[in-house]
Amino acid sequence: MSLDQLTVGFRRRSTQEKIMKQNGAVVSSIAPRGTILSETQHPASWQRIQEIEAPREGAPEAAPAEMVAPKFVEPMASLERIEFQQAHFETRVTPVNDPRLRIQWFKDGAPLPNSNRFKLTNDFGFVALDIAHTVDNDSGTYTVVASNEKGESFSRLKN
């Protein structure tokens, strides 16, 4: 942007339009400072915004709950599937608020292999295994083990 175009914004609008038409430039008009509203038109709303955005004291931290050994509270349901159908196994485990709770899945006593067909879920006590499309090798005994520093528990089903 040239200096001529910068100074044009401070001249009268008619002069600005003439100069811009001659130069072939496009400029947005700049309103003088007196036409911009800087005071609130709704004092009550402004006050409420100030209250909402004001810094507050944090809530006192709750004492950590005593951790207990995990326990499955719902059994997994056995199911039969035809090859290439989806399979879904689910159960619930307590405690739901244990950050050190570890969930592991096993098939026929061996850790479940990594595969894009398997989706594992562990969310606030809800534990699930989804198999996108079953194959003949998926038949077997599935075991889910929940463990923490207080102990471990398992749920098993034969599929």
Side-chain angles (χ1 to χ4, degrees), residues 2-42:
S2 71
L3 184 58
D4 290 339
Q5 289 175 346
L6 285 174
T7 58
V8 168
F10 297 104
R11 296 183 185 173
R12 290 186 12 199
R13 184 171 173 85
S14 60
T15 307
Q16 176 185 0
E17 287 175 358
K18 284 181 193 174
I19 294 172
M20 289 300 137
K21 285 180 183 175
Q22 289 173 358
N23 290 339
V26 177
V27 142
S28 60
S29 61
I30 301 170
R33 181 167 266 210
T35 60
I36 297 174
L37 298 176
S38 60
E39 291 81 34
T40 181
Q41 293 181 350
H42 301 281

Side-chain angles (χ1 to χ4, degrees), residues 47-145:
Q47 180 62 33
R48 182 66 181 135
I49 290 170
Q50 296 301 317
E51 290 171 11
I52 291 170
E53 293 181 352
R56 299 182 190 161
E57 288 184 28
E61 289 189 30
E66 185 177 327
M67 291 299 142
V68 295
K71 179 181 176 186
F72 285 95
V73 293
E74 287 182 14
M76 287 192 287
S78 185
L79 53 100
E80 291 185 20
R81 290 286 182 248
I82 299 172
E83 202 168 358
F84 298 111
Q85 285 186 327
Q86 294 180 351
H88 176 78
F89 306 106
E90 69 178 57
T91 185
R92 296 206 176 266
V93 66
T94 60
V96 297
N97 60 347
D98 185 354
R100 294 196 174 136
L101 185 67
R102 184 174 175 193
I103 302 294
Q104 295 176 292
W105 284 90
F106 297 89
K107 180 187 169 286
D108 297 327
L112 198 63
N114 290 333
S115 172
N116 61 354
R117 295 185 311 115
F118 301 129
K119 180 183 176 205
L120 309 174
T121 304
N122 177 19
D123 197 18
F124 296 101
F126 177 77
V127 179
L129 166 64
D130 290 296
I131 303 175
H133 55 276
T134 57
V135 294
D136 191 44
N137 295 1
D138 291 332
S139 293
T141 302
Y142 286 85
T143 307
V144 59
V145 177

